[in-house]
Each structure stands twice: as structure tokens, then as C-alpha cells.
Amino acid sequence: MSLDALRDLIPAYARDISLNLSSLANETTLTDQQKWGCFLACAHTLGVAPLVRHIEAQAATVLTPEAQGAARSAAAVMGMNNVYYRAIHLLKNPDYATLPARLRMNVIANPGVAKVDFELWCTAVSAINGCGACLDAHEAELRRHGLSAPQVQAALRIGAVVHAAGRIVASEAALAA
């Protein structure tokens, strides 16, 4: 299982998504850990079994077990935070923004990998989950760590393409069932 095997699951009508997966796999703006951590965190965010399996297999050739765990943790914690902070942002009543979240998110302070890599993965996941507040917070942190706009954009592109691939793979599985 690998990214090539994942691309084989994508039908001709979505050729652009397959080509984008390939080009993003060869992306050089990010380190391999940053890139494959983004792929992995995004795959776990979507939870589409074939997508997760193929990206896990490819990422395992590059990422340490600690980095793999941190990417999964980014998907997990942002799955919670994106819902909470998006809701706070969308509510018209400003009182909710003044209340402490009272949600455990210790992994953000000590993710087990470089903080900048974890923040990058959280940014890609936040893009998939559509949380503007989290996107702004993580992007600002990335800029403080010295990442450039093209590097942040690369993570966003990975999130967008993995999201599209997951939807396509899930749709094709539904048609085959």
C-alpha cells in the first residue's frame, strides 16, 4: 500500500486530484516530516479507511513512530478544537468567547515533535474542518516560527487534496457496495 495504490483508487473523472496527490508527494517547500505529517493528519481527520491505510503506509516510510503519533494527535485534538472554536466564533453571543474552554489539549504544548511541525499539521486539519479561528491562531504561530506563506500554503494544499481524495474514495466505495 502506498500513495500510488491510493491514486489507483481514484477514477478518471477525478484525474486532477490524482495528479495533485502525486505533485504534493514531491513537494519540496516542506521537509519530509512536515509534508508527510500533513498527509497523515489529514487522512486521520477524514477517517476514510482506504485513504488512511494507504497514506499510513507511505508515511511510515518517512516518519518516525513518534512523528506518526503526533500527526494522529493533531487530527484528534483539532477534531475537538475545530468544532468548539468554530462554534464560539459563529455564536452571536460574545459571552462564550470569554469563558475558558475547559478542554484538555496538553498535546499542543508537548506534541513529541518540533512545535512548528505540529502547528503546521494542525493548520492543515483546521482547513479541512473549516475553523477560521483555529486557522488564524495556528497560521500566526507558524509565522512566529519563521514559516513562509508558500510553506503554509503547501500544508493547505495537502489538506485540500487529501480531503478531495477521501471524498472520492468514499463515494466510489459507496457505489461499489
Side-chain angles (χ1 to χ4, degrees):
M1 287 192 264
S2 68
L3 203 60
D4 289 336
L6 173 61
R7 290 181 65 219
D8 289 342
L9 298 176
I10 298 175
Y13 70 79
R15 184 171 187 267
D16 287 335
I17 304 309
S18 177
L19 293 172
N20 284 324
L21 279 170
S22 182
S23 67
L24 286 167
N26 295 311
E27 170 70 49
T28 59
T29 305
L30 302 174
T31 68
D32 281 345
Q33 178 166 292
Q34 290 170 337
K35 175 175 53 181
W36 288 105
C38 277
F39 270 102
L40 190 56
C42 292
H44 277 275
T45 295
L46 297 166
V48 175
L51 179 81
V52 172
R53 280 194 305 271
H54 291 301
I55 290 179
E56 275 277 348
Q58 187 75 48
T61 68
V62 177
L63 298 177
T64 64
E66 294 79 17
Q68 291 171 51
R72 292 181 201 112
S73 292
V77 75
M78 295 317 294
M80 172 184 69
N81 286 358
N82 291 157
V83 170
Y84 178 79
Y85 288 106
R86 184 175 60 233
I88 296 301
H89 177 76
L90 292 172
L91 286 167
K92 291 181 183 178
N93 184 338
D95 292 345
Y96 295 102
T98 67
L99 300 172
R102 297 181 61 204
L103 297 171
R104 291 196 181 269
M105 43 187 121
N106 295 330
V107 71
I108 293 174
N110 188 16
V113 295
K115 179 87 164 125
V116 67
D117 293 355
F118 191 79
E119 290 288 338
L120 191 68
W121 304 340
C122 290
T123 303
V125 170
S126 295
I128 290 173
N129 290 334
C131 182
C134 291
L135 280 167
D136 284 340
H138 291 287
E139 190 273 342
E141 188 67 21
L142 290 170
R143 298 301 283 234
R144 277 193 288 282
H145 282 281
L147 261 66
S148 66
Q151 289 172 303
V152 174
Q153 181 199 35
L156 297 174
R157 290 172 53 226
I158 290 169
V161 173
V162 170
H163 179 261
R167 293 231 177 191
I168 292 159
V169 168
S171 294
E172 289 300 308
L175 288 173

PDB file of all heavy atoms in Angstrom, residues 103-131:
ATOM      1  N   LEU A 103     -11.195  22.320  28.069  1.00  0.00           N
ATOM      2  CA  LEU A 103     -10.966  21.102  27.286  1.00  0.00           C
ATOM      3  C   LEU A 103      -9.487  20.756  27.396  1.00  0.00           C
ATOM      4  O   LEU A 103      -8.635  21.637  27.253  1.00  0.00           O
ATOM      5  CB  LEU A 103     -11.345  21.317  25.812  1.00  0.00           C
ATOM      6  CG  LEU A 103     -12.802  21.626  25.519  1.00  0.00           C
ATOM      7  CD1 LEU A 103     -12.969  22.035  24.063  1.00  0.00           C
ATOM      8  CD2 LEU A 103     -13.679  20.428  25.851  1.00  0.00           C
ATOM      9  N   ARG A 104      -9.186  19.503  27.614  1.00  0.00           N
ATOM     10  CA  ARG A 104      -7.785  19.087  27.679  1.00  0.00           C
ATOM     11  C   ARG A 104      -7.185  19.107  26.280  1.00  0.00           C
ATOM     12  O   ARG A 104      -7.758  18.554  25.346  1.00  0.00           O
ATOM     13  CB  ARG A 104      -7.670  17.698  28.277  1.00  0.00           C
ATOM     14  CG  ARG A 104      -8.023  17.676  29.728  1.00  0.00           C
ATOM     15  CD  ARG A 104      -7.528  16.391  30.362  1.00  0.00           C
ATOM     16  NE  ARG A 104      -7.900  16.352  31.759  1.00  0.00           N
ATOM     17  CZ  ARG A 104      -7.132  16.805  32.730  1.00  0.00           C
ATOM     18  NH1 ARG A 104      -5.947  17.303  32.470  1.00  0.00           N
ATOM     19  NH2 ARG A 104      -7.533  16.750  33.984  1.00  0.00           N
ATOM     20  N   MET A 105      -6.039  19.758  26.180  1.00  0.00           N
ATOM     21  CA  MET A 105      -5.300  19.812  24.917  1.00  0.00           C
ATOM     22  C   MET A 105      -3.806  19.903  25.200  1.00  0.00           C
ATOM     23  O   MET A 105      -3.080  20.673  24.590  1.00  0.00           O
ATOM     24  CB  MET A 105      -5.813  20.934  24.009  1.00  0.00           C
ATOM     25  CG  MET A 105      -6.111  22.250  24.653  1.00  0.00           C
ATOM     26  SD  MET A 105      -6.886  23.406  23.514  1.00  0.00           S
ATOM     27  CE  MET A 105      -8.413  23.730  24.396  1.00  0.00           C
ATOM     28  N   ASN A 106      -3.344  19.069  26.123  1.00  0.00           N
ATOM     29  CA  ASN A 106      -1.949  19.054  26.549  1.00  0.00           C
ATOM     30  C   ASN A 106      -0.997  18.740  25.404  1.00  0.00           C
ATOM     31  O   ASN A 106       0.142  19.202  25.393  1.00  0.00           O
ATOM     32  CB  ASN A 106      -1.739  18.042  27.675  1.00  0.00           C
ATOM     33  CG  ASN A 106      -2.496  18.421  28.925  1.00  0.00           C
ATOM     34  OD1 ASN A 106      -2.706  19.592  29.188  1.00  0.00           O
ATOM     35  ND2 ASN A 106      -2.924  17.433  29.690  1.00  0.00           N
ATOM     36  N   VAL A 107      -1.447  17.960  24.430  1.00  0.00           N
ATOM     37  CA  VAL A 107      -0.576  17.558  23.328  1.00  0.00           C
ATOM     38  C   VAL A 107      -0.079  18.759  22.525  1.00  0.00           C
ATOM     39  O   VAL A 107       1.004  18.713  21.945  1.00  0.00           O
ATOM     40  CB  VAL A 107      -1.270  16.508  22.420  1.00  0.00           C
ATOM     41  CG1 VAL A 107      -2.396  17.145  21.603  1.00  0.00           C
ATOM     42  CG2 VAL A 107      -0.262  15.827  21.525  1.00  0.00           C
ATOM     43  N   ILE A 108      -0.823  19.836  22.518  1.00  0.00           N
ATOM     44  CA  ILE A 108      -0.391  21.025  21.768  1.00  0.00           C
ATOM     45  C   ILE A 108       0.884  21.601  22.388  1.00  0.00           C
ATOM     46  O   ILE A 108       1.773  22.052  21.669  1.00  0.00           O
ATOM     47  CB  ILE A 108      -1.522  22.072  21.695  1.00  0.00           C
ATOM     48  CG1 ILE A 108      -2.666  21.528  20.830  1.00  0.00           C
ATOM     49  CG2 ILE A 108      -1.013  23.396  21.141  1.00  0.00           C
ATOM     50  CD1 ILE A 108      -3.898  22.404  20.786  1.00  0.00           C
ATOM     51  N   ALA A 109       0.994  21.553  23.695  1.00  0.00           N
ATOM     52  CA  ALA A 109       2.185  22.087  24.368  1.00  0.00           C
ATOM     53  C   ALA A 109       3.383  21.145  24.245  1.00  0.00           C
ATOM     54  O   ALA A 109       4.520  21.597  24.224  1.00  0.00           O
ATOM     55  CB  ALA A 109       1.883  22.339  25.841  1.00  0.00           C
ATOM     56  N   ASN A 110       3.124  19.845  24.154  1.00  0.00           N
ATOM     57  CA  ASN A 110       4.214  18.871  24.098  1.00  0.00           C
ATOM     58  C   ASN A 110       3.845  17.744  23.121  1.00  0.00           C
ATOM     59  O   ASN A 110       3.492  16.641  23.549  1.00  0.00           O
ATOM     60  CB  ASN A 110       4.480  18.312  25.505  1.00  0.00           C
ATOM     61  CG  ASN A 110       5.712  17.459  25.534  1.00  0.00           C
ATOM     62  OD1 ASN A 110       6.536  17.494  24.626  1.00  0.00           O
ATOM     63  ND2 ASN A 110       5.847  16.674  26.594  1.00  0.00           N
ATOM     64  N   PRO A 111       3.939  18.031  21.815  1.00  0.00           N
ATOM     65  CA  PRO A 111       3.463  17.061  20.825  1.00  0.00           C
ATOM     66  C   PRO A 111       4.405  15.893  20.530  1.00  0.00           C
ATOM     67  O   PRO A 111       4.009  14.934  19.876  1.00  0.00           O
ATOM     68  CB  PRO A 111       3.268  17.908  19.575  1.00  0.00           C
ATOM     69  CG  PRO A 111       4.239  19.028  19.725  1.00  0.00           C
ATOM     70  CD  PRO A 111       4.321  19.302  21.202  1.00  0.00           C
ATOM     71  N   GLY A 112       5.651  15.969  20.974  1.00  0.00           N
ATOM     72  CA  GLY A 112       6.593  14.903  20.693  1.00  0.00           C
ATOM     73  C   GLY A 112       7.374  15.082  19.407  1.00  0.00           C
ATOM     74  O   GLY A 112       8.182  14.224  19.044  1.00  0.00           O
ATOM     75  N   VAL A 113       7.128  16.172  18.712  1.00  0.00           N
ATOM     76  CA  VAL A 113       7.878  16.570  17.511  1.00  0.00           C
ATOM     77  C   VAL A 113       8.113  18.070  17.609  1.00  0.00           C
ATOM     78  O   VAL A 113       7.591  18.719  18.518  1.00  0.00           O
ATOM     79  CB  VAL A 113       7.117  16.245  16.189  1.00  0.00           C
ATOM     80  CG1 VAL A 113       6.953  14.753  15.993  1.00  0.00           C
ATOM     81  CG2 VAL A 113       5.776  16.962  16.131  1.00  0.00           C
ATOM     82  N   ALA A 114       8.842  18.614  16.665  1.00  0.00           N
ATOM     83  CA  ALA A 114       9.058  20.066  16.653  1.00  0.00           C
ATOM     84  C   ALA A 114       7.705  20.775  16.649  1.00  0.00           C
ATOM     85  O   ALA A 114       6.794  20.404  15.908  1.00  0.00           O
ATOM     86  CB  ALA A 114       9.874  20.463  15.431  1.00  0.00           C
ATOM     87  N   LYS A 115       7.588  21.772  17.500  1.00  0.00           N
ATOM     88  CA  LYS A 115       6.326  22.520  17.646  1.00  0.00           C
ATOM     89  C   LYS A 115       5.848  23.067  16.301  1.00  0.00           C
ATOM     90  O   LYS A 115       4.660  23.032  15.995  1.00  0.00           O
ATOM     91  CB  LYS A 115       6.535  23.651  18.649  1.00  0.00           C
ATOM     92  CG  LYS A 115       5.335  24.508  18.884  1.00  0.00           C
ATOM     93  CD  LYS A 115       4.442  23.939  19.953  1.00  0.00           C
ATOM     94  CE  LYS A 115       3.467  25.001  20.429  1.00  0.00           C
ATOM     95  NZ  LYS A 115       2.108  24.564  20.337  1.00  0.00           N
ATOM     96  N   VAL A 116       6.765  23.547  15.487  1.00  0.00           N
ATOM     97  CA  VAL A 116       6.381  24.129  14.200  1.00  0.00           C
ATOM     98  C   VAL A 116       5.735  23.074  13.294  1.00  0.00           C
ATOM     99  O   VAL A 116       4.776  23.369  12.578  1.00  0.00           O
ATOM    100  CB  VAL A 116       7.591  24.828  13.520  1.00  0.00           C
ATOM    101  CG1 VAL A 116       8.665  23.829  13.097  1.00  0.00           C
ATOM    102  CG2 VAL A 116       7.135  25.666  12.333  1.00  0.00           C
ATOM    103  N   ASP A 117       6.237  21.850  13.328  1.00  0.00           N
ATOM    104  CA  ASP A 117       5.648  20.784  12.508  1.00  0.00           C
ATOM    105  C   ASP A 117       4.237  20.474  12.975  1.00  0.00           C
ATOM    106  O   ASP A 117       3.305  20.361  12.171  1.00  0.00           O
ATOM    107  CB  ASP A 117       6.504  19.522  12.548  1.00  0.00           C
ATOM    108  CG  ASP A 117       7.853  19.714  11.869  1.00  0.00           C
ATOM    109  OD1 ASP A 117       8.105  20.795  11.282  1.00  0.00           O
ATOM    110  OD2 ASP A 117       8.673  18.775  11.922  1.00  0.00           O
ATOM    111  N   PHE A 118       4.074  20.353  14.302  1.00  0.00           N
ATOM    112  CA  PHE A 118       2.749  20.068  14.852  1.00  0.00           C
ATOM    113  C   PHE A 118       1.767  21.181  14.508  1.00  0.00           C
ATOM    114  O   PHE A 118       0.619  20.919  14.132  1.00  0.00           O
ATOM    115  CB  PHE A 118       2.840  19.861  16.365  1.00  0.00           C
ATOM    116  CG  PHE A 118       1.588  19.323  16.973  1.00  0.00           C
ATOM    117  CD1 PHE A 118       1.298  17.971  16.881  1.00  0.00           C
ATOM    118  CD2 PHE A 118       0.712  20.154  17.645  1.00  0.00           C
ATOM    119  CE1 PHE A 118       0.132  17.457  17.457  1.00  0.00           C
ATOM    120  CE2 PHE A 118      -0.446  19.657  18.219  1.00  0.00           C
ATOM    121  CZ  PHE A 118      -0.742  18.304  18.124  1.00  0.00           C
ATOM    122  N   GLU A 119       2.197  22.423  14.625  1.00  0.00           N
ATOM    123  CA  GLU A 119       1.339  23.570  14.280  1.00  0.00           C
ATOM    124  C   GLU A 119       0.930  23.521  12.805  1.00  0.00           C
ATOM    125  O   GLU A 119      -0.198  23.840  12.456  1.00  0.00           O
ATOM    126  CB  GLU A 119       2.061  24.887  14.581  1.00  0.00           C
ATOM    127  CG  GLU A 119       2.249  25.187  16.045  1.00  0.00           C
ATOM    128  CD  GLU A 119       0.968  25.580  16.764  1.00  0.00           C
ATOM    129  OE1 GLU A 119       0.005  26.025  16.111  1.00  0.00           O
ATOM    130  OE2 GLU A 119       0.932  25.435  17.997  1.00  0.00           O
ATOM    131  N   LEU A 120       1.862  23.127  11.958  1.00  0.00           N
ATOM    132  CA  LEU A 120       1.571  23.020  10.532  1.00  0.00           C
ATOM    133  C   LEU A 120       0.491  21.970  10.290  1.00  0.00           C
ATOM    134  O   LEU A 120      -0.448  22.190   9.522  1.00  0.00           O
ATOM    135  CB  LEU A 120       2.849  22.674   9.770  1.00  0.00           C
ATOM    136  CG  LEU A 120       2.790  22.772   8.253  1.00  0.00           C
ATOM    137  CD1 LEU A 120       2.629  24.218   7.807  1.00  0.00           C
ATOM    138  CD2 LEU A 120       4.060  22.178   7.655  1.00  0.00           C
ATOM    139  N   TRP A 121       0.607  20.828  10.960  1.00  0.00           N
ATOM    140  CA  TRP A 121      -0.380  19.766  10.799  1.00  0.00           C
ATOM    141  C   TRP A 121      -1.743  20.211  11.328  1.00  0.00           C
ATOM    142  O   TRP A 121      -2.770  19.930  10.712  1.00  0.00           O
ATOM    143  CB  TRP A 121       0.086  18.498  11.508  1.00  0.00           C
ATOM    144  CG  TRP A 121       1.436  18.034  11.052  1.00  0.00           C
ATOM    145  CD1 TRP A 121       2.074  18.364   9.878  1.00  0.00           C
ATOM    146  CD2 TRP A 121       2.340  17.196  11.758  1.00  0.00           C
ATOM    147  NE1 TRP A 121       3.310  17.767   9.829  1.00  0.00           N
ATOM    148  CE2 TRP A 121       3.507  17.039  10.963  1.00  0.00           C
ATOM    149  CE3 TRP A 121       2.288  16.556  12.988  1.00  0.00           C
ATOM    150  CZ2 TRP A 121       4.583  16.265  11.369  1.00  0.00           C
ATOM    151  CZ3 TRP A 121       3.365  15.785  13.389  1.00  0.00           C
ATOM    152  CH2 TRP A 121       4.500  15.644  12.577  1.00  0.00           C
ATOM    153  N   CYS A 122      -1.738  20.935  12.441  1.00  0.00           N
ATOM    154  CA  CYS A 122      -2.996  21.462  12.990  1.00  0.00           C
ATOM    155  C   CYS A 122      -3.642  22.453  12.027  1.00  0.00           C
ATOM    156  O   CYS A 122      -4.869  22.515  11.914  1.00  0.00           O
ATOM    157  CB  CYS A 122      -2.748  22.130  14.342  1.00  0.00           C
ATOM    158  SG  CYS A 122      -2.347  20.959  15.669  1.00  0.00           S
ATOM    159  N   THR A 123      -2.828  23.210  11.325  1.00  0.00           N
ATOM    160  CA  THR A 123      -3.340  24.163  10.346  1.00  0.00           C
ATOM    161  C   THR A 123      -4.028  23.433   9.195  1.00  0.00           C
ATOM    162  O   THR A 123      -5.138  23.806   8.785  1.00  0.00           O
ATOM    163  CB  THR A 123      -2.199  25.059   9.811  1.00  0.00           C
ATOM    164  OG1 THR A 123      -1.581  25.718  10.923  1.00  0.00           O
ATOM    165  CG2 THR A 123      -2.702  26.084   8.822  1.00  0.00           C
ATOM    166  N   ALA A 124      -3.396  22.394   8.669  1.00  0.00           N
ATOM    167  CA  ALA A 124      -3.998  21.630   7.564  1.00  0.00           C
ATOM    168  C   ALA A 124      -5.310  20.986   8.001  1.00  0.00           C
ATOM    169  O   ALA A 124      -6.306  21.019   7.263  1.00  0.00           O
ATOM    170  CB  ALA A 124      -3.013  20.570   7.068  1.00  0.00           C
ATOM    171  N   VAL A 125      -5.337  20.432   9.205  1.00  0.00           N
ATOM    172  CA  VAL A 125      -6.563  19.815   9.724  1.00  0.00           C
ATOM    173  C   VAL A 125      -7.643  20.874   9.920  1.00  0.00           C
ATOM    174  O   VAL A 125      -8.816  20.654   9.597  1.00  0.00           O
ATOM    175  CB  VAL A 125      -6.272  19.051  11.033  1.00  0.00           C
ATOM    176  CG1 VAL A 125      -7.555  18.622  11.718  1.00  0.00           C
ATOM    177  CG2 VAL A 125      -5.387  17.843  10.757  1.00  0.00           C
ATOM    178  N   SER A 126      -7.264  22.032  10.437  1.00  0.00           N
ATOM    179  CA  SER A 126      -8.232  23.114  10.640  1.00  0.00           C
ATOM    180  C   SER A 126      -8.837  23.591   9.325  1.00  0.00           C
ATOM    181  O   SER A 126     -10.006  23.988   9.285  1.00  0.00           O
ATOM    182  CB  SER A 126      -7.575  24.289  11.371  1.00  0.00           C
ATOM    183  OG  SER A 126      -7.195  23.898  12.671  1.00  0.00           O
ATOM    184  N   ALA A 127      -8.057  23.542   8.257  1.00  0.00           N
ATOM    185  CA  ALA A 127      -8.594  23.904   6.940  1.00  0.00           C
ATOM    186  C   ALA A 127      -9.672  22.906   6.529  1.00  0.00           C
ATOM    187  O   ALA A 127     -10.747  23.299   6.052  1.00  0.00           O
ATOM    188  CB  ALA A 127      -7.479  23.955   5.902  1.00  0.00           C
ATOM    189  N   ILE A 128      -9.399  21.625   6.711  1.00  0.00           N
ATOM    190  CA  ILE A 128     -10.396  20.600   6.375  1.00  0.00           C
ATOM    191  C   ILE A 128     -11.656  20.794   7.202  1.00  0.00           C
ATOM    192  O   ILE A 128     -12.772  20.717   6.685  1.00  0.00           O
ATOM    193  CB  ILE A 128      -9.820  19.187   6.587  1.00  0.00           C
ATOM    194  CG1 ILE A 128      -8.753  18.880   5.530  1.00  0.00           C
ATOM    195  CG2 ILE A 128     -10.935  18.128   6.544  1.00  0.00           C
ATOM    196  CD1 ILE A 128      -8.006  17.588   5.766  1.00  0.00           C
ATOM    197  N   ASN A 129     -11.483  21.063   8.487  1.00  0.00           N
ATOM    198  CA  ASN A 129     -12.630  21.187   9.383  1.00  0.00           C
ATOM    199  C   ASN A 129     -13.294  22.561   9.331  1.00  0.00           C
ATOM    200  O   ASN A 129     -14.315  22.767   9.979  1.00  0.00           O
ATOM    201  CB  ASN A 129     -12.204  20.852  10.815  1.00  0.00           C
ATOM    202  CG  ASN A 129     -11.889  19.386  10.986  1.00  0.00           C
ATOM    203  OD1 ASN A 129     -12.397  18.540  10.253  1.00  0.00           O
ATOM    204  ND2 ASN A 129     -11.050  19.067  11.950  1.00  0.00           N
ATOM    205  N   GLY A 130     -12.723  23.486   8.608  1.00  0.00           N
ATOM    206  CA  GLY A 130     -13.351  24.786   8.388  1.00  0.00           C
ATOM    207  C   GLY A 130     -13.428  25.688   9.600  1.00  0.00           C
ATOM    208  O   GLY A 130     -14.404  26.404   9.778  1.00  0.00           O
ATOM    209  N   CYS A 131     -12.394  25.691  10.433  1.00  0.00           N
ATOM    210  CA  CYS A 131     -12.399  26.558  11.604  1.00  0.00           C
ATOM    211  C   CYS A 131     -11.496  27.766  11.361  1.00  0.00           C
ATOM    212  O   CYS A 131     -10.265  27.664  11.449  1.00  0.00           O
ATOM    213  CB  CYS A 131     -11.939  25.795  12.848  1.00  0.00           C
ATOM    214  SG  CYS A 131     -11.979  26.839  14.330  1.00  0.00           S
TER     215      CYS A 131
END
